[in-house]
Each structure stands twice: as structure tokens, then as C-alpha cells.
Amino acid sequence: MASAATQSSSHRRSGNGGDLIVLGIESTAHTFGVGIVSSKEPYILADARRQYKPKSGGILPREVAAFFSSVAGEVLAEALAQAGLTVRDVDGIAVALGPGMGPALRVGATVARALASRYRKPLVPVNHAVAHIEVARFVTGLRDPVAVYVAGGNTSILSYSEGRYRVFGETLDIALGNLLDTFAREVGIAPPYVSGGKHAVDKCAEGGDYIDGLPYVVKGQDVSYSGLLTAALRMARSGARLSDVCYTLREIAFSSIVEVGERCMAHTGRDSVVLTGGVAANKVLASKVALMAESRGARHGTVPPRLAGDNGVMIALTGALALAHGVTIGVEEAVIRQRWRVDRVDVPWYPATLKDLSSG
Ligand code: AMP
Ligand code: MG
């Protein structure tokens, strides 16, 4: 992402005695997060966030934006207090400019622009999907993996090639998290209560058996979940045992994305796979990915639940990599990109992770 404001030096050094400190802001969907990272241990200096929870139904972008505006100041203050730093101490301000919901993105972008201009700090644009992959590479230590990225609004299989992350396969319609959340809500096991690695659908699936009649759809490299959702809802409403429907829905949804992930590994010759995004918190899915990898003699890793869902840390750590490679933009260029595709973003730092920055 070269730009007029891209720094001339390709490797930026910090003013913090060699370690690079970056503050990152996340506001693409339901979470307003501020993270602060350093290129030296302990790496993660702060992780503050607030999540918008709708009273009922789905999330309304304008309500999210109002919520974000009301908590932005306190989340920022909390992150700085955790790190024991002021904004003056950081080397750059990173912000997730997309993809995501416009009104929500605008809050993060506004805060980032204000901080960058008030404190004269470089502003670093971060793609949210790239950040989910970078946090996975950072925490698992798997430097060149296939990434299974599954979240509330995204489901894709990615791997690096020629300067960018490429989408090997993705959902043709709704995302995996959305499938689980919508089903749970519609059959009344909502709010899609998740805890201890379990979704409401997992709780409901306990004691369930596999039943016939739900569609398993993989088209080429892609999965499709909307037919599965419709069929599962119809089955649940026509008197089938709910535990069986939940069990089968989960089995089909998880197996199909793991199938595409495996095909990507075979096709690209990669010998490792990482699971990332909010649904990576799911223990059943993580074990399916692990089984697939082990059957191929490949390594695998999963982002821990705390960093699996949206957070500011992943934006900060991706921002640190980008800043170290001179990727910055002027305040006037920092506009939101609601449909910013991951394969449009150069990742010149690859395969470095945050842990490599201070040794350079
Ligand atoms: P994200 O969009 O990355 O913040 O992730 C949010 C999504 O992750 C929502 O759809 C949640 O239902 C989903 N999620 C969170 N924890 C779990 C879990 N343990 N199992 C399945 N899905 C989960
Ligand atoms: Mg996300």
C-alpha cells in the first residue's frame, strides 16, 4: 500500500531505545478495542475493549457507533494505564480501516486521526482480516501457515503468495459465526451464549446424534451455509430432536470448512495450519483442525480465546510490522474501507512476526 506519505526509509527505528511501540484501534464490528504492543518482551503491553451487545436480534450499525463513541475515551485511557504509557511514548497509531460496518469504522478512524495529528505520530492502516492472520502467526509461532479464519462475519481459507494473503476458499453466503448465532437465536437457545469454548449450539448438541437430511455444500474451493441454516431451521421446527439438529449442523458446518482447509494445504504444499477469528474459540472445531493436520503430518495452532475475537492487540501488532516496513498514510488519506479485501493488501513484512522486529 504505497502512498504519498509512505516513509522513505524502509525500516523505521523507534525512539524507544530500539523497541517499537504501537497503539492499535479496532472498531470494525461489535468491539471497540485498544491494544498496545512492543517489539520486545512482553510484547503485549495493553488490551482494553468493550463489546456492544444488542438487547435483541442483530447489531444495528448506528447503535454500535453511538456505543463506540461513548466508550472510546475510557478504553483508550484504560489501555494507556495498563501499559503505563502516554500517547507521547508510542511510535505509531494503527487503525483497522476495514473491512467492516461504516458507522463503526468511522469511530475508530476518527480517534486514530485525532491522536496521530495531535501527537504527530505516524498513522498506520491495518486490514482487519490481515490482523487476524498476523495475531495467529505471532501466538502460534507458525510462520507460513494456511489460515482458517472463521468469525461472525467472515469465513475464509487463506495463505500467503507473492506479497499478499490470497483467498483460497471462502463462504459463498453467510459466515460460520453468523450461521451458529442465527440458528441459536431462531430456535430460542439464544442469546448465543458462549463460554468455556462452547457456543449455545455446542451445549444443545450434547447427547445429540448425526441425522440425515441436512445439506453439506462445498462448491469448488468454497463453502455455503445459508441452505444449511434454512434446512436446519425447518427440521427443528418440524419436530426433530433439537440436540440432533444442533449436532448435525455443527458437524456439517465444521467439516466442510476443514475440508477446504485441507485442500488448501495439499494444493499449496504448506505444512502448518492456524485457526483464527472468533469461532476459533470453539474446542470442537479446533480438534477437527488438529485431526486434519495430524493426519497429514502437519503442525497446527489455534489463537487463544482472548485474542480470537476482535481486539486492539492484533491491530497494534500488525501495525508494528507495517510501520517497521514503512507503511504509513497521511491523516487525510485515512478513510474507511468497508469492503477492503484481504488480497488487496501488501504484506511486505512476511514472514516476520512481532518477535522478529527487535532482532533486526
Ligand atoms: P469475531 O467476529 O471475530 O469477533 O467473532 C465473533 C463470533 O465468534 C460470533 O459469531 C460468536 O458466536 C463466535 N464465537 C465466539 N466463541 C465461540 C465458540 N466458543 N464457539 C463458536 N463460536 C464462537
Ligand atoms: Mg473479526
Side-chain angles (χ1 to χ4, degrees):
M1 280 206 353
S3 77
T6 294
Q7 304 211 347
S8 51
S9 124
S10 70
H11 289 266
R12 189 178 188 283
R13 284 279 151 244
S14 74
N16 285 301
D19 53 337
L20 192 63
I21 296 178
V22 173
L23 181 149
I25 301 173
E26 158 63 32
S27 77
T28 63
H30 47 63
T31 299
F32 188 90
V34 176
I36 304 175
V37 304
S38 160
S39 59
K40 282 197 178 138
E41 280 187 88
Y43 303 114
I44 297 174
L45 305 181
D47 176 5
R49 54 179 107 168
R50 299 284 185 281
Q51 194 173 334
Y52 171 78
K53 296 200 177 72
K55 286 177 198 75
S56 64
I59 53 180
L60 298 172
R62 245 174 291 152
E63 277 184 18
V64 179
F67 171 76
F68 283 1
S69 301
S70 72
V71 298
E74 68 190 46
V75 176
L76 176 64
E78 189 178 310
L80 290 166
Q82 282 176 21
L85 297 173
T86 68
V87 181
R88 278 180 225 293
D89 301 319
V90 310
D91 297 299
I93 307 292
V95 57
L97 289 178
M101 297 185 302
L105 285 168
R106 256 173 231 120
V107 179
T110 303
V111 174
R113 283 192 299 256
L115 292 176
S117 50
R118 166 77 175 77
Y119 295 94
R120 298 177 184 281
K121 300 291 180 183
L123 192 54
V124 187
V126 171
N127 177 288
H128 179 87
V130 168
H132 273 294
I133 304 172
E134 293 307 341
V135 71
R137 293 200 309 116
F138 169 73
V139 295
T140 65
L142 298 170
R143 291 165 64 90
D144 187 30
V146 164
V148 177
Y149 167 35
V150 281
N154 292 87
T155 298
S156 42
I157 304 292
L158 305 126
S159 66
Y160 174 90
S161 175
E162 297 181 3
R164 295 180 178 181
Y165 292 114
R166 310 289 171 171
V167 181
F168 186 88
E170 62 192 330
T171 178
L172 294 171
D173 37 61
I174 59 173
L176 180 53
N178 189 4
L179 166 71
L180 299 174
D181 297 349
T182 306
F183 181 80
R185 199 164 54 230
E186 293 286 318
V187 300
I189 52 174
Y193 171 69
V194 283
S195 72
K198 286 186 183 174
H199 192 277
V201 169
D202 293 299
K203 290 229 172 78
C204 173
E206 283 166 13
D209 289 316
Y210 193 90
I211 48 172
D212 289 332
L214 293 181
Y216 182 110
V217 184
V218 173
K219 291 184 184 167
Q221 253 64 276
D222 297 319
V223 296
S224 161
Y225 290 137
S226 67
L228 175 60
L229 175 62
T230 309
L233 286 174
R234 195 184 309 124
M235 204 176 251
R237 285 166 184 153
S238 63
R241 213 157 60 113
L242 195 55
S243 58
D244 293 345
V245 181
C246 283
Y247 183 91
T248 309
L249 168 84
R250 181 182 69 183
E251 190 62 23
I252 290 176
F254 289 179
S255 298
S256 53
I257 194 68
V258 173
E259 177 192 326
V260 178
E262 176 163 34
R263 197 155 337 134
C264 183
M265 295 189 75
H267 192 83
T268 60
R270 291 300 204 288
D271 63 359
S272 64
V273 57
V274 293
L275 181 59
T276 191
V279 187
N282 192 279
K283 296 276 190 290
V284 175
L285 179 59
S287 69
K288 277 190 188 294
V289 170
L291 203 64
M292 177 272 280
E294 282 158 17
S295 75
R296 307 180 52 79
R299 291 167 299 157
H300 56 85
T302 299
V303 176
R306 177 79 190 160
L307 294 174
D310 293 348
N311 64 84
V313 171
M314 67 183 192
I315 307 304
L317 75 84
T318 306
L321 292 164
L323 180 60
H325 286 75
V327 182
T328 66
I329 51 176
V331 167
E332 68 293 343
E333 294 173 285
V335 290
I336 62 161
R337 303 164 192 183
Q338 291 181 67
R339 298 182 195 289
W340 194 12
R341 279 189 66 95
V342 64
D343 49 15
R344 304 290 296 273
V345 185
D346 290 332
V347 292
W349 54 85
Y350 196 89
T353 73
L354 185 63
K355 293 173 186 170
D356 301 310
L357 291 184
S358 58
S359 54

